[in-house]
Amino acid sequence: MEIIGKIITVLEARGGISKTSGNSWKIQEYVLETTEQYPRRMCFNVFGEDKINQFNIQVGDNLKVSFDINAREYQGRWYNDIRAWAVERVSNDAPAPAADPFPAEPAPAAADPFAAASDSTDDLPF
């Protein structure tokens, strides 16, 4: 999946040591806001110090973020994890994405049921 928008917040990086492998890990979260008529916000993360440094995401950056969504359960509650796997910088003059990815189809023009009867002298449609 992909989304285009502007980074409005860079959250504090977190890290630790894996209990199973003993390796260190680091994760950084960001908030992106779309540029639609009704902007939407999405919090996503980048996992791994190498990826965090490679993407070098800063507040104000206009980005196209490719991401995966996964859900996990913890103590009976479910949490979404939105993890970026690719980040591209986009120019400020790039066209904004469509406001609604699933626009409603226009209603077909209603046919006038009395149009055929209009050429007759009778005013009643039946």
Side-chain angles (χ1 to χ4, degrees):
M1 302 177 110
E2 293 180 341
I3 190 167
I4 297 174
K6 182 177 183 177
I7 299 297
I8 60 171
T9 304
V10 176
L11 300 172
E12 190 77 25
R14 295 176 295 152
I17 305 293
S18 171
K19 292 179 184 177
T20 56
S21 67
N23 296 331
S24 64
W25 58 270
K26 188 173 181 181
I27 193 167
Q28 179 87 45
E29 292 182 315
Y30 307 89
V31 179
L32 177 139
E33 184 175 70
T34 63
T35 57
E36 302 163 345
Q37 179 181 1
Y38 301 105
R40 296 181 180 172
R41 293 179 178 170
M42 179 182 81
C43 182
F44 68 93
N45 66 55
V46 175
F47 186 82
E49 189 168 5
D50 57 336
K51 290 284 189 188
I52 293 168
N53 294 333
Q54 175 188 350
F55 296 156
N56 190 26
I57 299 172
Q58 304 295 320
V59 172
D61 287 351
N62 289 306
L63 305 175
K64 178 167 103 174
V65 178
S66 301
F67 60 93
D68 289 324
I69 300 174
N70 193 22
R72 65 187 185 287
E73 186 265 340
Y74 178 72
Q75 295 183 351
R77 297 199 55 182
W78 285 87
Y79 300 89
N80 289 321
D81 183 44
I82 302 173
R83 179 149 309 154
W85 52 269
V87 172
E88 291 179 43
R89 293 202 163 36
V90 295
S91 63
N92 291 343
D93 56 351
D100 188 355
F102 304 105
E105 292 185 24
D112 186 5
F114 306 114
S118 65
D119 59 347
S120 69
T121 57
D122 188 22
D123 290 344
L124 297 175
F126 48 89

